[in-house]
Amino acid sequence: MLGYVKPNKAELKIKDYEIYRGYYCSLCKALGKRYGVFSRLFLSYDVTFFVLFINALKKDYSPEFKEGRCPFNPTKKCHYTSVKTDEFDFATAFSIIMTYYKVKDNISDNPFYKKIIYFLVLPFVYFKYRKAKRIHPEIEKIIGRSIEEQATVENEKCSLVDKAAHSSAKALGECFSLYSDSEDNKQLFYRFGYCLGRYVYLTDAFDDLEKDKKHNGYNVFVLNGYSDDEITQSIRMSINELVLCVDLFDFYCNSDIIKNIVKLGLEQQLRAIINKKEGTKNEQKSL
C-alpha cells in the first residue's frame, strides 16, 4: 500500500486526530521493536488504517495511550498504545514484505543510475523480509502470488482496468478476510479489502501517469488511453462501494476516524492528485 489512505484532518475532531496519530506512532514503534530501528522508514498511512480498522472491530476494546518521545525527534511528544497484539504483528510483517517486493520492482523499473540505490538497500530489506516471512507465511503467500499475477498482467500489456487492478485488490481482500469474525462476514471483509486495494492501485497508476509515459513504464491508463475524467470515474467507483461497505460493519471504537478516512479522506487524496495535474498543465500553458 502506498500512502493514499489518509484521514481528512480538517474534518476530524482533535481527540480523534490524536488517536489516529497514536496508532501511527504505535505502528512505527512496533516496526522498530520487531525489525529494527531502520524498519520504521517503511511505515505507511495505509497500514495504519488496517490496524485501526481491525482494532475497531474488537469487542470490549478501548485503546489506552501512554506518553512517550519520538526516537527520531526527542523534542516531539508522542503517545502509544500497546503494540503487543496480533494486528500490529500482522501489519508490521505486511509492511516489511511489501517493501521487499517494492524494492525489487524499483530495481526492474528504474534506469541504471537509480537502480544502484535500490541494490544497496535490497540486502537489508531481504534480511527483514526473511524474518517476516518466517513469522507470517500466510502474508508472503498472498503477496507473492499477487506479485506473480501482476507480472503476468504487465508482460501481457493488459489495457483492461479491472484485470490490471485485480491481483492487488484480491491480495488486500484476502488480508482483510483473515480477520473476519465469522464465515458469514468473510465476504464483506473480502469485498471491503478488495475495493480498497483497487482504489490504491488505480490511484497510484493515475498519480504515476506522466512518469510512466515518459519512461515507458507499464500503466493501464496509458495503454487504454483513458481521459482524466474516465480515470477518476473508475477510481470513484471503488470509493463509492467502500462508502456503502463501511456502514455494514459493527465498530466498537474509532468509527468516526474510519468513516472520515473512507468517506472523506480517499476523495481528498484523489482531489490532491487532480489539482497537482491541473497545476502542472497550467504551468506548461504559461511557458
Side-chain angles (χ1 to χ4, degrees):
M1 302 206 301
L2 301 167
Y4 298 110
V5 187
K6 299 179 184 179
N8 183 324
K9 183 180 174 181
E11 297 296 331
L12 269 182
K13 295 178 181 177
I14 293 175
K15 70 177 183 65
D16 287 332
Y17 180 68
E18 289 301 312
I19 290 172
Y20 178 81
R21 276 206 325 134
Y23 272 100
Y24 185 83
C25 292
S26 298
L27 185 56
C28 180
K29 182 179 180 181
L31 275 165
K33 286 174 70 71
R34 288 162 173 78
Y35 298 100
V37 64
F38 290 108
S39 298
R40 293 172 184 251
L41 298 172
F42 308 147
L43 179 64
S44 77
Y45 292 103
D46 302 347
V47 181
T48 303
F49 174 79
F50 178 85
V51 174
L52 185 76
F53 185 91
I54 299 303
N55 271 288
L57 294 165
K58 295 166 71 174
K59 291 183 180 179
D60 303 319
Y61 173 79
S62 180
E64 295 182 2
F65 294 94
K66 295 180 180 179
E67 293 296 322
R69 295 279 179 179
C70 175
F72 292 106
N73 183 4
T75 63
K76 179 183 176 183
K77 289 184 178 180
C78 296
H79 49 283
Y80 305 98
T81 188
S82 173
V83 298
K84 296 178 180 179
T85 64
D86 182 56
E87 292 78 28
F88 278 100
D89 196 51
F90 186 94
T92 54
F94 184 92
S95 296
I96 296 295
I97 292 171
M98 280 297 297
T99 299
Y100 169 71
Y101 281 110
K102 181 64 177 175
V103 169
K104 289 186 67 177
D105 185 57
N106 286 338
I107 290 173
S108 300
D109 291 347
N110 281 287
F112 178 75
Y113 68 93
K114 288 188 177 181
K115 290 179 190 284
I116 297 173
I117 299 172
Y118 296 111
F119 270 122
L120 293 173
V121 172
L122 185 61
F124 168 78
V125 177
Y126 178 69
F127 176 75
K128 305 301 179 183
Y129 158 78
R130 287 181 61 188
K131 180 180 179 180
K133 178 182 176 181
R134 184 175 69 252
I135 297 171
H136 277 285
E138 75 278 16
I139 303 177
E140 160 57 27
K141 183 178 179 181
I142 290 170
I143 296 177
R145 184 174 63 241
S146 171
I147 296 298
E148 289 179 4
E149 292 173 354
Q150 189 63 44
T152 300
V153 166
E154 293 184 9
N155 290 334
E156 291 174 350
K157 301 294 183 184
C158 175
S159 61
L160 302 175
V161 169
D162 288 335
K163 185 176 179 179
H166 177 68
S167 60
S168 296
K170 183 177 72 171
L172 202 55
E174 290 174 353
C175 287
F176 270 84
S177 66
L178 290 173
Y179 282 89
S180 62
D181 51 358
S182 70
E183 284 299 318
D184 292 339
N185 283 340
K186 201 163 190 174
Q187 187 58 38
L188 175 60
F189 277 71
Y190 176 84
R191 190 61 189 169
F192 184 85
Y194 186 95
C195 292
L196 188 63
R198 185 181 186 274
Y199 163 82
V200 171
Y201 179 88
L202 296 182
T203 302
D204 184 53
F206 184 36
D207 200 9
D208 288 346
L209 190 62
E210 282 72 28
K211 183 188 76 173
D212 290 332
K213 282 181 181 179
K214 182 177 179 180
H215 297 291
N216 199 30
Y218 173 79
N219 190 306
V220 66
F221 295 131
V222 174
L223 292 171
N224 61 29
Y226 270 22
S227 66
D228 285 1
D229 287 343
E230 289 171 319
I231 293 171
T232 55
Q233 182 180 4
S234 183
I235 294 171
R236 284 185 174 124
M237 284 174 56
S238 291
I239 296 176
N240 292 340
E241 189 160 353
L242 285 164
V243 169
L244 294 174
C245 280
V246 77
D247 287 327
L248 300 177
F249 288 96
D250 294 320
F251 297 113
Y252 297 96
C253 64
N254 302 332
S255 63
D256 288 345
I257 306 173
I258 292 165
K259 290 179 180 180
N260 172 283
I261 293 171
V262 172
K263 296 183 177 183
L264 301 174
L266 301 183
E267 175 64 25
Q268 183 183 50
Q269 294 305 308
L270 178 58
R271 285 298 325 169
I273 295 171
I274 294 169
N275 292 339
K276 181 176 69 175
K277 291 178 182 293
E278 289 177 349
T280 302
K281 289 177 181 177
N282 290 335
E283 287 178 7
Q284 291 173 344
K285 287 179 181 179
S286 63
L287 293 177

